[in-house]
Amino acid sequence: MLIEGWSFSDSLFMTVITLATIGYGETHPLSELGRYFTIALIVFGTGVVGYGISSLTLMLLQGDLPLYLRRRKMEKVIVRINNHIIICGLSRTGQYALDELISA
C-alpha cells in the first residue's frame, strides 16, 4: 500500500499469493522498488511461514499435546473402573497380598 499506492485488498491479495507461492501474476505493474519489496517478502515471508509450520508441527508431535491426550485417555479408563483393587509392586510381600486377596 505504501510503496505502490494500491488499495488494501490489492495489496493483501498480492501478499497472500506471493507467500502462498501461487503467483497468479501481478494485480498492477510493479515499480522497481515494488519488485525489490516482493523479493524480500518472498525470501523472508516464506522463511517465517516455514518456521511457523515446523514449530507448530514440533509442538504438536513432541510437546504437551501427546502427553495430554494419553493422560485424558487414561482418566477415561479409570472413571469406568468399578470394584477393583490395585496392588503396587509385586515383590514377595505384594505376591502374598495378592494371594490373600484371591483367597478372601
PDB file of all heavy atoms in Angstrom, residues 27-28 45 64 71:
ATOM      1  N   THR A  27      -1.256  -7.849  -9.867  1.00  0.00           N
ATOM      2  CA  THR A  27      -2.533  -7.156  -9.990  1.00  0.00           C
ATOM      3  C   THR A  27      -2.360  -5.892 -10.820  1.00  0.00           C
ATOM      4  O   THR A  27      -3.177  -5.584 -11.678  1.00  0.00           O
ATOM      5  CB  THR A  27      -3.069  -6.787  -8.591  1.00  0.00           C
ATOM      6  OG1 THR A  27      -3.117  -7.970  -7.802  1.00  0.00           O
ATOM      7  CG2 THR A  27      -4.450  -6.204  -8.676  1.00  0.00           C
ATOM      8  N   HIS A  28      -1.294  -5.180 -10.533  1.00  0.00           N
ATOM      9  CA  HIS A  28      -0.905  -3.981 -11.278  1.00  0.00           C
ATOM     10  C   HIS A  28       0.593  -4.101 -11.553  1.00  0.00           C
ATOM     11  O   HIS A  28       1.306  -4.804 -10.843  1.00  0.00           O
ATOM     12  CB  HIS A  28      -1.157  -2.712 -10.447  1.00  0.00           C
ATOM     13  CG  HIS A  28      -2.566  -2.584  -9.952  1.00  0.00           C
ATOM     14  ND1 HIS A  28      -3.627  -2.289 -10.764  1.00  0.00           N
ATOM     15  CD2 HIS A  28      -3.090  -2.719  -8.698  1.00  0.00           C
ATOM     16  CE1 HIS A  28      -4.731  -2.242 -10.042  1.00  0.00           C
ATOM     17  NE2 HIS A  28      -4.424  -2.510  -8.780  1.00  0.00           N
ATOM     18  N   GLY A  45       9.282 -13.906   4.011  1.00  0.00           N
ATOM     19  CA  GLY A  45       7.927 -14.389   4.298  1.00  0.00           C
ATOM     20  C   GLY A  45       7.824 -15.893   4.261  1.00  0.00           C
ATOM     21  O   GLY A  45       7.242 -16.510   5.155  1.00  0.00           O
ATOM     22  N   ASP A  64       3.374 -30.947  24.601  1.00  0.00           N
ATOM     23  CA  ASP A  64       2.458 -31.385  25.645  1.00  0.00           C
ATOM     24  C   ASP A  64       1.220 -32.080  25.108  1.00  0.00           C
ATOM     25  O   ASP A  64       0.528 -32.765  25.862  1.00  0.00           O
ATOM     26  CB  ASP A  64       2.027 -30.185  26.492  1.00  0.00           C
ATOM     27  CG  ASP A  64       3.179 -29.597  27.276  1.00  0.00           C
ATOM     28  OD1 ASP A  64       4.118 -30.361  27.581  1.00  0.00           O
ATOM     29  OD2 ASP A  64       3.146 -28.400  27.589  1.00  0.00           O
ATOM     30  N   ARG A  71      -2.952 -38.829  28.901  1.00  0.00           N
ATOM     31  CA  ARG A  71      -3.496 -38.685  30.256  1.00  0.00           C
ATOM     32  C   ARG A  71      -5.024 -38.671  30.222  1.00  0.00           C
ATOM     33  O   ARG A  71      -5.676 -39.289  31.069  1.00  0.00           O
ATOM     34  CB  ARG A  71      -2.978 -37.399  30.889  1.00  0.00           C
ATOM     35  CG  ARG A  71      -3.461 -37.204  32.301  1.00  0.00           C
ATOM     36  CD  ARG A  71      -2.871 -35.937  32.904  1.00  0.00           C
ATOM     37  NE  ARG A  71      -3.220 -35.817  34.275  1.00  0.00           N
ATOM     38  CZ  ARG A  71      -2.515 -36.294  35.295  1.00  0.00           C
ATOM     39  NH1 ARG A  71      -1.382 -36.921  35.056  1.00  0.00           N
ATOM     40  NH2 ARG A  71      -2.917 -36.144  36.534  1.00  0.00           N
TER      41      ARG A  71
END
